[in-house]
Amino acid sequence: MNRSISWMKYMALAAVLVMVLSGCGATGGSTNSTAQASGGGQAGQAEGGNLTFALATSPDTLDPHRSGLAVTVRAIRTIYDNLVVQLPDGSIKPWLATEWSVSEDGKSYTFKLREGVKFHDGTPFNAEAVKYNLDRVIDPATKAANSLALIRPYSSSEVIDEYTIKVNLESPSQAFLGNLSQALLGIVSPTAAQKYGDQLGKNPVGTGPYTFVKWDENADIVVAKNKDYNWGPETVENKAAPHVDTITFKIVPEEATRIGSVQSSQVLAAETVPPQNIAALKNDPNQQLLQANTVGLPYTLFFNLRKAPWDDVKVRQAIQSAVDVESIVKTLYLGNYERAWSALSPGILGYNASLEGSINPDINKANQLLDEQGWVKGADGIRAKDGQKLTLRYVDGSPNREKRNDIAAIIQQQLKQVGIAVEVEITKDIATVIYQNWDYDLYGNSQVNSDPNALYAFYHTSAEGERPTLSGLSDPKIDELLEQGAVESDADKRVEIYNQIQQYLIEQAVILPTYVFPYTVAASKKVEGIKFDSLGYPLFNDVRIQP
Amino acid sequence: MVQTILSRLSTSLLVIFGASVLVYCIMYLLPGDPVLLMLDPSSATPEMIENLRVQLGLDQPFYIQFANYFGDMLRGDFGKSMINSDPVLPKILEHFPATLALTALSSIIAITIGITLGVLSAIHRNGVIDFVARLVGLFGISMPTFWTGILLILLFSVQLGWFPAMGSDGFSSLVLPAATLGLVGAGFIVRMVRNSMLEVINEPFIVALRAKGLSERAIMYGHALRNALIPAVTVIGMLIGDLLAGTVVVETVFSRQGIGRIIADALMAKDLPVVQGVVFFTSIIYVVLNLLVDISYSYIDPRVRRAVRT
């Protein structure tokens, strides 16, 4: 007893100490607005220097074709270029390919390639190199990861001449060109890929603005400016060699350490600022906060429609009305994250903005719907029907990444009010629980993607023998729309198709969209010109460090 | 002496083998499929999964997988990481020095603070020094390591700017992580040394020494401490093992390179060859530590030395 009291005293003492210390840090005073992807146009003439940038997790490999992690993209974007680039408005512009044409049937693309480009190892960039890359992704020996999903429905390519290549698809795809702009389909040096094999990830060679220098595992990745570079895409101002000499990506998984190292000037910038630190950083006269919403699927909770009673739209709608997403997002992210309204995030082609404000919490409606469906509250306050309790199995696979475990806890409390018992299971082993046993009623996921065709993998009826989708939705009408959306070449019609799909998913309460994840970077005021691409990944071509 | 060491070494080999088998079994029986963890579950096709499984030899029965693994290991081939195909042995050898440096410095901090405060607090029982020593002991034991680490970063890195908050370049980046671990260790040692000193001080032989007119200083440091150290050395030996394990947390908090980070990542990814390799190496360290503890007994206590000889 005595011991526990004194223990608590020390803890309280320590807590006070921390509060005093962090309080000191926040007393900056001068106002400072959040930069939305800082302009960088009026930047001074500073050249050289080393940008230190703290990453939240370690990249798995620097081989774009084999990577499965978003964090990798922050680093490989500097080393590799793509054939095309996507602008924030969704349009596709030239990069390593200068122009292209699509065949009548939409199944083949002919690319004219930029001349005079060399890989960092001196290998010339040409049609052979592009063919090698595309074939490499679909070669099982490569063990390609996410890039394989992006390259579908690629079948083959033909070298027409040194700088012309024809790419053939199995079926038309409107997502294909946009996918070619994604960093995971970056073009690697064929010479290096053959030389290093599965070790290319440790010896990456591309055509990008920075060349690889070294990677000390769990410590840092260093890239240096590529002096010969002069083929930057439209997303950046500086098309030529970067202004800074080197970038050092430091790997700092612990939040407090990452933020601490920016504040102590040990690094010039750090990614993924936790919401609770955002206010303090905004008030820090030496720091700036950069923010870009990621594009694709927002963090979305999927009902497993294959399991009763979640196959009943009324029950799902009851939950939709009972869960107060607005207050969850406000409480957990302190106003720094946007609430999601649709299956797609704002900023992607076809986003249905009319859904904003469409669903609002309504406990009476939730109760009424459940009563109608015969779910009656028992003595313990939990609803039951035919002797079976209304229980929702909520599975979350992250060690509270972006406070996702807390979302589960709040939903558990909110649904208790309408008589639904929520069992929360937190497990790292999503592969087994979700994808093998389908043992969940509600499970959350998000995806960074440049094309609304991303919806296909989540809502289209899965083919015989293929793994089922997360939602388990199977509706011929939606299948047809998703198939049309994949091939429709008229942009307006495409927007209309995806609008309909999103409308349906909310009306039928197939999902509960939760929040749009902003990619946040805290940086010293000395750093200018960090930009973000259309997916929300940082670009370092324009960066300058003021002395 | 030599004979004792030799016989200890042979049992040590058994311990190392046992640890390898045990970890292999645990990793094998853990739920979850490493192949599914390696591929993106939402885009991988069943045939991709199957191909990868065959390539990695995971379609073979358990005993064949284990026999292959162990055979290769005896030949010095610890295999390749399933995640990025890095060879395991060079990876461990590359990261081991950083962890050893961290463990060594934190042991020195822990032992220095621990023994000094432990002895002083026993001698000045219930005084101010005793209070401070017990506070340090309690703090070290009860604070979670990552919490202490973050406190030190906030104070010495963000506020005072004396030491870097993270990284593994040079001595200055070693100070805060070693202090974090050292404080934990010191907490245990202070309590241990204090208790055993108090016990020894009340023994009849101390009274006898006083009666012979020896100075208090000579009694305390020449006789009492020597006797009190025997149990402390056992604790310190085990503690260094704990510090080695503590590097998992500290290396993550301070973003240092090292074995702790490697094994944490490998466990998350169910990267069997890497986990096996690290366990093999750490079990060697544990065994060697135990051996050193046993040998040190005989230097501190002549009775043990004599018993060994007969």
Side-chain angles (χ1 to χ4, degrees):
Chain A
M1 189 64 207
N2 225 342
R3 178 169 299 177
S4 71
I5 287 174
S6 54
W7 184 83
M8 277 169 65
K9 264 190 225 159
Y10 300 130
M11 283 302 281
L13 196 74
V16 169
L17 184 70
V18 177
M19 274 188 261
V20 170
L21 290 175
S22 51
C24 296
T27 52
S30 81
T31 50
N32 171 20
S33 59
T34 307
Q36 270 287 347
S38 77
Q42 320 81 319
Q45 296 309 304
E47 290 288 328
N50 173 30
L51 175 72
T52 38
F53 190 94
L55 297 175
T57 36
S58 176
D60 47 354
T61 163
L62 295 178
D63 181 343
H65 303 158
R66 297 184 68 196
S67 172
L69 295 179
V71 67
T72 303
V73 177
R74 334 250 201 247
I76 62 178
R77 253 282 165 254
T78 63
I79 301 171
Y80 303 100
D81 291 327
N82 286 66
L83 286 181
V84 294
V85 66
Q86 186 164 36
L87 300 190
D89 67 3
S91 62
I92 312 287
K93 299 284 174 178
W95 196 347
L96 287 180
T98 50
E99 55 184 279
W100 53 89
S101 58
V102 191
S103 67
E104 282 286 307
D105 61 0
K107 281 166 74 173
S108 50
Y109 289 73
T110 307
F111 292 95
K112 280 271 176 215
L113 304 178
R114 179 183 281 273
E115 297 180 22
V117 173
K118 273 196 164 47
F119 289 98
H120 304 147
D121 60 358
T123 309
F125 167 79
N126 54 28
E128 281 294 345
V130 175
K131 178 177 162 56
Y132 178 84
N133 268 269
L134 300 179
D135 289 343
R136 181 175 190 258
V137 177
I138 59 163
D139 181 354
T142 309
K143 290 186 215 153
N146 289 7
S147 59
L148 191 60
L150 290 173
I151 206 172
R152 281 186 192 137
Y154 172 80
S155 71
S156 66
S157 39
E158 302 155 36
V159 174
I160 307 284
D161 62 44
E162 170 117 50
Y163 294 107
T164 315
I165 185 166
K166 189 175 164 202
V167 175
N168 303 311
L169 307 184
E170 279 160 8
S171 56
S173 163
Q174 283 305 311
F176 182 70
L177 207 50
N179 286 350
L180 283 184
S181 76
Q182 290 211 29
L184 296 183
L185 289 180
I187 304 294
V188 308
S189 158
T191 321
Q194 277 154 354
K195 180 173 159 198
Y196 296 113
D198 60 7
Q199 291 296 305
L200 180 68
K202 280 277 156 83
N203 306 278
V205 181
T207 61
Y210 294 88
T211 59
F212 174 76
V213 178
K214 67 166 183 133
W215 178 4
D216 285 338
E217 202 180 358
N218 281 331
D220 50 34
I221 293 171
V222 182
V223 294
K225 95 157 124 182
N226 174 5
K227 294 192 183 70
D228 303 328
Y229 195 74
N230 69 349
W231 45 87
E234 265 188 46
T235 39
V236 294
E237 272 167 42
N238 172 25
K239 315 283 190 242
H243 304 299
V244 294
D245 295 330
T246 48
I247 305 176
T248 305
F249 294 101
K250 300 243 178 205
I251 296 142
V252 192
E254 179 60 41
E255 279 181 355
T257 315
R258 201 162 59 246
I259 302 310
S261 50
V262 189
Q263 288 175 325
S264 67
S265 305
Q266 206 189 339
V267 297
L268 286 172
E271 68 167 12
T272 320
V273 181
Q276 68 271 18
N277 290 85
I278 285 181
L281 280 166
K282 276 183 184 167
N283 289 325
D284 189 328
N286 302 316
Q287 307 293 333
Q288 53 183 325
L289 193 77
L290 313 172
Q291 206 162 349
N293 274 337
T294 55
V295 173
L297 271 58
Y299 184 64
T300 308
L301 300 170
F302 295 83
F303 283 105
N304 183 357
L305 268 54
R306 289 173 302 261
K307 282 176 75 181
W310 316 109
D311 51 352
D312 180 347
V313 57
K314 292 272 173 62
V315 178
R316 298 198 303 269
Q317 281 168 341
I319 295 201
Q320 192 178 40
S321 301
V323 173
D324 185 353
V325 177
E326 189 79 33
S327 72
I328 294 176
V329 175
K330 276 218 174 101
T331 312
L332 292 180
Y333 308 113
L334 312 165
N336 294 309
Y337 287 18
E338 267 175 50
R339 178 203 168 153
W341 292 98
S342 164
L344 290 174
S345 61
I348 203 167
L349 177 94
Y351 171 68
N352 189 342
S354 72
L355 292 171
E356 288 174 12
S358 62
I359 300 291
N360 289 300
D362 186 344
I363 296 288
N364 292 336
K365 187 180 164 197
N367 279 321
Q368 193 192 333
L369 281 165
L370 291 170
D371 289 340
E372 278 172 22
Q373 295 308 103
W375 292 96
V376 191
K377 263 191 193 173
D380 57 354
I382 301 301
R383 290 174 186 271
K385 183 167 145 182
D386 306 328
Q388 203 170 353
K389 292 215 185 288
L390 187 49
T391 325
L392 182 133
R393 193 173 144 78
Y394 187 124
V395 180
D396 186 13
S398 65
N400 213 9
R401 166 181 167 195
E402 292 144 36
K403 300 186 192 290
R404 288 178 179 182
N405 297 357
D406 301 334
I407 297 181
I410 300 183
I411 288 186
Q412 189 174 38
Q413 289 308 312
Q414 291 182 344
L415 290 184
K416 209 173 171 184
Q417 293 172 24
V418 293
I420 298 168
V422 178
E423 284 174 7
V424 178
E425 182 181 342
I426 313 283
T427 170
K428 273 296 287 182
D429 192 17
I430 284 309
T432 312
V433 176
I434 302 294
Y435 292 101
Q436 229 166 358
N437 301 338
W438 321 110
D439 192 13
Y440 63 97
D441 297 327
L442 201 60
Y443 170 67
N445 203 354
S446 61
Q447 194 183 64
V448 176
N449 208 306
S450 59
D451 195 273
N453 187 45
L455 296 175
Y456 196 99
F458 291 86
Y459 305 104
H460 191 279
T461 309
S462 45
E464 198 71 35
E466 285 274 308
R467 62 172 64 231
T469 58
L470 275 185
S471 63
L473 178 71
S474 180
D475 185 323
K477 191 180 106 195
I478 292 301
D479 287 353
E480 205 187 315
L481 285 172
L482 285 167
E483 285 155 23
Q484 279 174 15
V487 299
E488 178 59 61
S489 52
D490 183 314
D492 290 341
K493 281 190 193 152
R494 243 189 134 209
V495 167
E496 178 48 35
I497 289 168
Y498 285 111
N499 269 326
Q500 278 183 48
I501 297 171
Q502 291 165 75
Q503 182 95 30
Y504 171 94
L505 293 173
I506 296 303
E507 274 172 10
Q508 295 292 309
V510 178
I511 49 169
L512 301 174
T514 312
Y515 65 84
V516 182
F517 178 65
Y519 181 66
T520 43
V521 173
S524 155
K525 286 250 172 87
K526 285 186 204 159
V527 180
E528 289 169 355
I530 294 180
K531 292 189 172 162
F532 299 95
D533 69 9
S534 61
L535 293 175
Y537 290 116
L539 297 170
F540 300 104
N541 303 52
D542 294 329
V543 169
R544 284 179 197 270
I545 302 167
Q546 297 300 346
Chain B
M1 196 67 195
V2 175
Q3 206 188 347
T4 328
I5 294 177
L6 281 181
S7 85
R8 282 301 305 267
L9 272 180
S10 58
T11 42
S12 303
L13 286 179
L14 265 178
V15 169
I16 294 169
F17 177 75
S20 292
V21 176
L22 195 69
V23 172
Y24 199 90
C25 292
I26 292 171
M27 290 297 286
Y28 187 85
L29 293 174
L30 270 184
D33 184 339
V35 176
L36 287 181
L37 288 169
M38 290 165 70
L39 294 167
D40 177 18
S42 53
S43 67
T45 64
E47 43 194 309
M48 273 171 68
I49 294 170
E50 205 39 52
N51 283 342
L52 189 53
R53 184 165 289 137
V54 174
Q55 272 182 33
L56 295 171
L58 293 173
D59 54 335
Q60 306 276 343
F62 171 75
Y63 60 93
I64 295 189
Q65 284 187 45
F66 182 75
N68 284 342
Y69 169 77
F70 209 77
D72 288 345
M73 204 173 73
L74 288 180
R75 285 191 292 273
D77 177 6
F78 285 68
K80 282 176 167 188
S81 156
M82 286 183 177
I83 304 303
N84 51 19
S85 311
D86 282 352
V88 173
L89 189 61
K91 185 171 169 150
I92 292 176
L93 294 179
E94 186 193 331
H95 287 75
F96 220 61
T99 303
L100 276 185
L102 175 58
T103 316
L105 186 59
S106 48
S107 305
I108 293 171
I109 293 176
I111 293 170
T112 316
I113 297 183
I115 293 185
T116 314
L117 282 182
V119 170
L120 287 177
S121 78
I123 295 175
H124 305 279
R125 196 177 176 185
N126 294 331
V128 178
I129 296 179
D130 189 21
F131 176 75
V132 172
R134 284 159 74 182
L135 195 82
V136 170
L138 197 72
F139 182 85
I141 290 169
S142 43
M143 294 291 260
T145 321
F146 73 92
W147 176 250
T148 313
I150 289 171
L151 276 182
L152 292 182
I153 289 177
L154 279 175
L155 183 59
F156 292 104
S157 191
V158 177
Q159 286 302 315
L160 300 171
W162 291 354
F163 299 105
M166 52 112 187
S168 28
D169 347 283
F171 183 74
S172 68
S173 70
L174 190 61
V175 175
L176 291 185
T180 307
L181 269 184
L183 267 178
V184 177
F188 283 96
I189 298 177
V190 166
R191 290 161 74 111
M192 190 67 212
V193 171
R194 181 176 181 274
N195 287 348
S196 51
M197 268 301 269
L198 285 176
E199 254 171 54
V200 173
I201 286 173
N202 294 322
E203 296 245 349
F205 80 91
I206 298 286
V207 181
L209 288 171
R210 281 210 181 96
K212 279 172 76 181
L214 245 67
S215 76
E216 196 65 10
R217 177 176 287 260
I219 295 172
M220 286 302 162
Y221 296 100
H223 298 270
L225 179 59
R226 196 173 180 127
N227 279 281
L229 273 185
I230 298 260
V233 165
T234 316
V235 169
I236 291 169
M238 292 192 306
L239 197 77
I240 295 176
D242 283 352
L243 292 180
L244 204 59
T247 58
V248 174
V249 174
V250 169
E251 283 174 356
T252 308
V253 169
F254 290 93
S255 298
R256 287 183 61 78
Q257 278 186 295
I259 288 297
R261 285 282 285 290
I262 290 188
I263 198 161
D265 290 350
L267 280 169
M268 288 277 195
K270 230 193 153 197
D271 194 346
L272 226 137
V274 177
V275 175
Q276 275 289 309
V278 177
V279 168
F280 185 78
F281 263 79
T282 34
S283 58
I284 292 177
I285 299 281
Y286 270 84
V287 164
V288 170
L289 271 176
N290 268 314
L291 202 61
L292 289 178
V293 168
D294 285 355
I295 295 171
S296 70
Y297 283 159
S298 59
Y299 281 96
I300 298 169
D301 189 345
R303 283 170 301 180
V304 177
R305 200 163 21 196
R306 248 171 263 131
V308 166
R309 241 182 240 139
T310 49

